[in-house]
Amino acid sequence: MTYQHKLPPLAGSLSYADETDTVKQLIGNHDGKWAGIDAEAVARMRLQNRFRTGLDIARYTAAIMREDMAAYDADPALYTQSLGCWHGFIAQQKMISIKKHFGSTKRRYLYLSGWMVAALRSEFGPLPDQSMHEKTSVPALIEELYTFLRQADARELGMLFRQMDTARAAGDSVKEQELLQAAENHQTHVVPIIADIDAGFGNAEATYLLAKKMIEAGACALQIENQVSDEKQCGHQDGKVTVPHEDFIQKIRACRYAFLELGVDDGIIVTRTDSLGAGLTKQIAVSTQPGDIGDQYNSFLDCEEIDPATARNGDVVINRDGKLMRPKRLPSGLFQFREGTGADRCVLDSITSLQNGADLLWIETEKPHVEQIASMMDRIRETVPNAKLVYNNSPSFNWTLNFRQQVYDAMVKEGKDVSAYNRDDLMSVDYDGTELANIADERIRTFQADGAKRAGIFHHLITLPTYHTAALSTDNLAKEYFGDAGMLGYVLNVQRQEIRQGIACVKHQNMSGSDIGDDHKEYFAGEAALKAGGANNTMNQFG
C-alpha cells in the first residue's frame, strides 16, 4: 500500500491557490463589508482545520484501518502499533515524535485504555479497572486526544506558512513554492484510535448510546469485552465473569448500529475474550437444541450428575447427553467452568464474534508467549482464515522474567547446561549480559514481528506505557531536583536533552499555541496586533 495519511482535500477546491481564489470571490460578494478579511489567511485557517467534526475523523481513520488490514493480509510484516495515551498532550507528543523519527505516521495508531481512564481521568479520583468511572469520560478523552492532534497539524502548518512569508518577502519564489507543496501535501497527526468501551457499561442499549458518543468524538474502532458489565474486572486480575455468547452478540450489533447510524459504514469492532483467565459465568446460556451456541457455552460448565430423587431445593439442572447435570454454583451464586477449558472457550468466543460482525479479535492472555497465542489462532483460522488479532503487550507482564524463563525452558528441552541459572531468580541483575539474558532480550525485541508473522497479530499495543513513563520520569526528576543536584537535575536530564534531541515542546510557548495565536491576532487586528512572539520572548533562546 502506498497511501499517506494526508489531510482530506479542501472543500470545493484542489489547491491552496484555488481555495484562496474561492474565498476572495466570497469576500467580494459582500459589498466591501468583509474587506478586512484576508482570503489567504482564511485558506490557511481552513488548511489548518481540515477535520471539522469527530465524524470526519472517524470516517477518515476507518478507511486507513481498512487499508492497513488489507495490507497485513497480503504481508504480515505490515503490522500496526500503538501506545495507550491518557491525555491529549501525550498523544500529540507521541505522534510528533513518530513523524520526527520515522517521517511517517503510517501504521501507527492511538490506543485509549479504560484502565487509564479509570485510574487517571475519573472525577471520582483513581479507581480500579472495573467500569466504575463515568462513561462520559471515555468520549471526552477521545475528543481531547484529537483536539491535541489537530492542534499539532495547525502548529506544523503555521510554521510552514511563516517560512513561506519569509521566502516571499525575500523574493525567493522557488523556496516559496517548495513550502507551498509541503503544506498541501502535509501528513496529518490524526491517526486511527482503538478505543476501549469496556464491557459496554450496561445492557445493549447502554452500549449503543456510549458507542455513538465515542464515534461522534472520532473513534473509528471500538474494543468491547465479553465480561459481565456490572462486575467487570481488569483483564489481568482475578474474578472475571463472562457472559453467554448471545448476550455479547447483542452488544456487537449495538456497536454496528451506532456506526451505521452515524454514517461510518466501515467502522471497526474489536471483540475481546477474557475466557482464558475467566473461570466463572453469571448465567446459564439459553439453548433450544443440542449443539447450538448456548449448548456449546454450557458444555464447558463444571457439572455433576444428579438423581432427580436426590435433587436439592433451588437446583439449576441442565440436560447433557440425556443425563441430568447440576452446574456447580459458588456461594456468590456464580457458576464455574471446568479447569483447563479456557483456550477452547477463547476459540469458540472468537469464531462466534467474527461470524456475528466483529472485524478484529483480542485474546487476553496471562503471559506474552507467541506459541500460546498461535495455538489458539491456528484453530480460529481453520474456520475464519483471515482472522486477525489486536494484542495487548501488557505492562502487567514481567517481560524480562517471562522471556528469560522461556529461554531457560528451551535450553533445558535442548539438553543445554543451565546449572549457572536459577529459574526462579532470573529477574536478578546478576544475569544481565549472560547468554540466556541476551537471547531473551532479542526475543523481546522481535516479539511483535514474530507474533505478527506466526500468530496473526495485526495490531500490537501497550495499554499503559505512558502511565509508567510519567511515573518513572517524575521519580527521576524529583530525586535529582530535591536532592544535591538541585536545578542541575532539571537542566542536565530534561532541558539539555530536549534541546539536543530536538524535542518540540522545549519551545513550550510555541507548542501551547502562542505562535498560532499571534497569527490570528495579525489576521484580526493587522498592524495593531499586540503579539507575544517578539524579540523579548525568552523562547528565542532556543533558536
Side-chain angles (χ1 to χ4, degrees):
M1 308 295 289
T2 58
Y3 78 90
Q4 292 287 318
H5 297 185
K6 297 176 186 174
L7 295 174
L10 285 165
S13 75
L14 299 175
S15 70
Y16 179 92
D18 289 339
E19 188 73 13
T20 303
D21 289 341
T22 299
V23 177
K24 281 181 181 177
Q25 183 176 353
L26 177 62
I27 292 169
N29 291 338
H30 286 78
D31 302 323
K33 297 175 184 178
W34 289 10
I37 303 296
D38 181 79
E40 187 174 19
V42 174
R44 290 180 176 187
M45 293 172 79
R46 289 185 176 183
L47 190 64
Q48 288 172 295
N49 186 29
R50 291 284 182 89
F51 300 101
R52 309 294 164 80
T53 70
L55 286 176
D56 291 339
I57 293 172
R59 295 186 186 105
Y60 168 72
T61 54
I64 289 171
M65 275 197 74
R66 291 291 177 180
E67 289 182 34
D68 286 346
M69 290 161 68
Y72 173 82
D73 286 340
D75 181 0
L78 301 178
Y79 58 90
T80 57
Q81 300 168 289
S82 67
L83 297 173
C85 300
W86 55 271
H87 192 279
F89 178 73
I90 299 294
Q92 179 195 69
Q93 294 305 301
K94 183 184 96 171
M95 298 317 302
I96 287 173
S97 295
I98 286 170
K99 285 190 69 174
K100 180 182 76 171
H101 292 297
F102 305 103
S104 172
T105 58
K106 187 160 59 174
R107 296 195 297 277
R108 274 83 177 203
Y109 300 171
L110 298 180
Y111 179 67
L112 184 152
S113 161
W115 191 102
M116 286 208 286
V117 173
L120 298 171
R121 301 305 301 265
S122 171
E123 292 183 10
F124 295 117
L127 293 172
D129 182 22
Q130 296 171 354
S131 292
M132 293 187 290
H133 54 280
E134 314 87 346
K135 64 172 68 177
T136 53
S137 60
V138 184
L141 179 53
I142 296 170
E143 184 176 3
E144 176 183 294
L145 294 171
Y146 282 125
T147 295
F148 274 78
L149 294 187
R150 289 164 61 219
Q151 193 263 3
D153 282 352
R155 169 186 167 272
E156 197 166 83
L157 284 162
M159 291 191 292
L160 284 173
F161 296 148
R162 286 179 169 223
Q163 294 172 47
M164 281 173 56
D165 289 340
T166 300
R168 184 181 297 170
D172 190 344
S173 60
V174 173
K175 183 65 175 178
E176 182 184 356
Q177 284 300 311
E178 287 178 0
L179 292 163
L180 177 59
Q181 288 295 314
E184 290 186 329
N185 293 287
H186 176 260
Q187 186 184 58
T188 179
H189 296 84
V190 171
V191 296
I193 187 170
I194 298 176
D196 188 357
I197 197 171
D198 280 12
F201 286 85
N203 61 13
E205 175 70 6
T207 301
Y208 155 76
L209 293 171
L210 179 55
K212 280 183 64 177
K213 289 294 185 183
M214 294 170 70
I215 297 163
E216 287 169 342
C220 71
L222 304 178
Q223 168 226 323
I224 188 165
E225 59 203 65
N226 69 336
Q227 290 192 50
V228 176
S229 62
D230 57 351
E231 297 191 39
K232 186 261 183 195
Q233 295 275 27
C234 172
H236 292 285
Q237 292 182 321
D238 207 352
K240 294 184 291 296
V241 182
T242 62
V243 297
H245 295 93
E246 187 52 49
D247 293 48
F248 191 52
I249 290 169
Q250 291 175 24
K251 293 189 175 183
I252 297 173
R253 293 193 195 110
C255 291
R256 183 62 66 199
Y257 272 108
F259 275 124
L260 294 174
E261 177 183 342
L262 296 172
V264 186
D265 296 347
D266 51 358
I268 289 93
I269 299 173
V270 182
T271 52
R272 172 176 137 181
T273 172
D274 280 286
S275 289
L276 197 61
L280 305 170
T281 185
K282 198 169 187 177
Q283 63 194 91
I284 307 297
V286 174
S287 173
T288 58
Q289 58 185 7
D292 65 16
I293 192 63
D295 189 43
Q296 292 180 66
Y297 185 80
N298 294 339
S299 72
F300 295 112
L301 291 169
D302 190 2
C303 299
E304 54 190 358
E305 187 175 358
I306 65 168
D307 185 330
T310 60
R312 300 191 297 257
N313 185 52
D315 271 349
V316 173
V317 179
I318 62 175
N319 182 349
R320 181 180 290 172
D321 299 326
K323 299 177 181 179
L324 291 180
M325 308 294 290
R326 177 169 54 215
K328 293 181 181 178
R329 184 157 54 179
L330 304 177
S332 62
L334 300 171
F335 300 95
Q336 67 183 36
F337 293 109
R338 297 194 312 277
E339 288 280 345
T341 62
D344 292 337
R345 285 183 283 127
C346 282
V347 171
L348 180 61
D349 294 344
S350 299
I351 292 172
T352 303
S353 291
L354 291 172
Q355 291 175 334
N356 286 276
D359 301 290
L360 295 168
L361 302 172
W362 176 317
I363 299 176
E364 194 77 333
T365 66
E366 82 289 357
K367 60 181 180 293
H369 194 295
V370 170
E371 286 305 316
Q372 178 198 33
I373 304 162
S375 67
M376 291 180 278
M377 282 300 291
D378 287 346
R379 294 168 61 189
I380 295 165
R381 285 181 154 188
E382 288 176 5
T383 303
V384 186
N386 69 337
K388 292 179 282 295
L389 270 182
V390 171
Y391 187 72
N392 178 6
N393 293 206
S394 177
S396 294
F397 304 143
N398 185 331
W399 286 77
T400 301
L401 181 60
N402 266 290
F403 275 84
R404 287 183 180 184
Q405 289 181 340
Q406 288 178 37
V407 173
Y408 179 96
D409 294 342
M411 292 172 70
V412 170
K413 188 174 182 180
E414 294 166 7
K416 294 183 177 179
D417 180 13
V418 293
S419 59
Y421 306 105
N422 177 355
R423 189 182 188 279
D424 295 329
D425 192 39
L426 289 174
M427 186 66 197
S428 172
V429 68
D430 295 339
Y431 296 119
D432 290 0
T434 63
E435 178 188 12
L436 182 148
N438 292 338
I439 295 172
D441 282 353
E442 178 61 13
R443 288 192 181 186
I444 293 170
R445 188 187 71 81
T446 64
F447 175 80
Q448 294 187 338
D450 295 341
K453 182 178 180 180
R454 172 69 184 94
I457 301 176
F458 159 73
H459 185 77
H460 283 277
L461 61 90
I462 308 179
T463 45
L464 321 176
T466 53
Y467 176 90
H468 292 280
T469 55
L472 179 62
S473 61
T474 302
D475 180 83
N476 289 336
L477 176 59
K479 178 180 64 176
E480 296 294 323
Y481 177 75
F482 293 104
D484 292 340
M487 193 59 198
L488 184 62
Y490 172 77
V491 173
L492 180 64
N493 297 315
V494 180
Q495 189 181 79
R496 194 174 297 172
Q497 299 308 313
E498 287 181 301
I499 295 169
R500 291 178 175 174
Q501 295 180 40
I503 304 301
C505 69
V506 71
K507 295 185 178 182
H508 48 259
Q509 305 287 11
N510 167 269
M511 184 56 65
S512 70
S514 66
D515 287 343
I516 296 173
D518 275 359
D519 290 341
H520 292 171
K521 289 175 185 177
E522 190 168 5
Y523 298 163
F524 306 154
E527 294 182 358
L530 184 63
K531 297 193 288 186
N536 292 326
N537 189 320
T538 58
M539 191 171 65
N540 296 329
Q541 296 173 20
F542 299 100

